[in-house]
Amino acid sequence: ALPRWWLLAAAVQALPGAPWLAERAYRRFLRWRPALQARARRLLGEGAEADCGAACDPDRGRHG
């Protein structure tokens, strides 16, 4: 979705152990994501969900 970021991704993926480390970091982030989203909604207020749209929840708003 971001132009030219694939170059960085390809370079990092070529490093030994990088894909394994990235997978572990992403899985850890997925455990924290609901709490981070809840905190963002509290900080931004009740209308934040409507304002941030797909940025708050990428699975919503793209398919509808």
Side-chain angles (χ1 to χ4, degrees):
L2 299 172
R4 292 186 298 263
W5 278 90
W6 67 270
L7 291 170
L8 178 62
V12 169
Q13 187 175 11
L15 297 172
W20 179 86
L21 183 62
E23 180 69 23
R24 296 308 178 271
Y26 183 66
R27 287 179 185 265
R28 181 164 290 201
F29 164 74
L30 287 178
R31 283 189 244 149
W32 295 340
R33 184 178 174 198
L36 291 172
Q37 286 179 304
R39 183 176 181 150
R41 286 187 184 114
R42 282 194 309 270
L43 290 173
L44 297 174
E46 289 298 319
E49 189 173 331
D51 293 340
C52 67
C56 288
D57 188 356
D59 295 331
R60 242 186 1 207
R62 292 186 183 179
H63 305 291

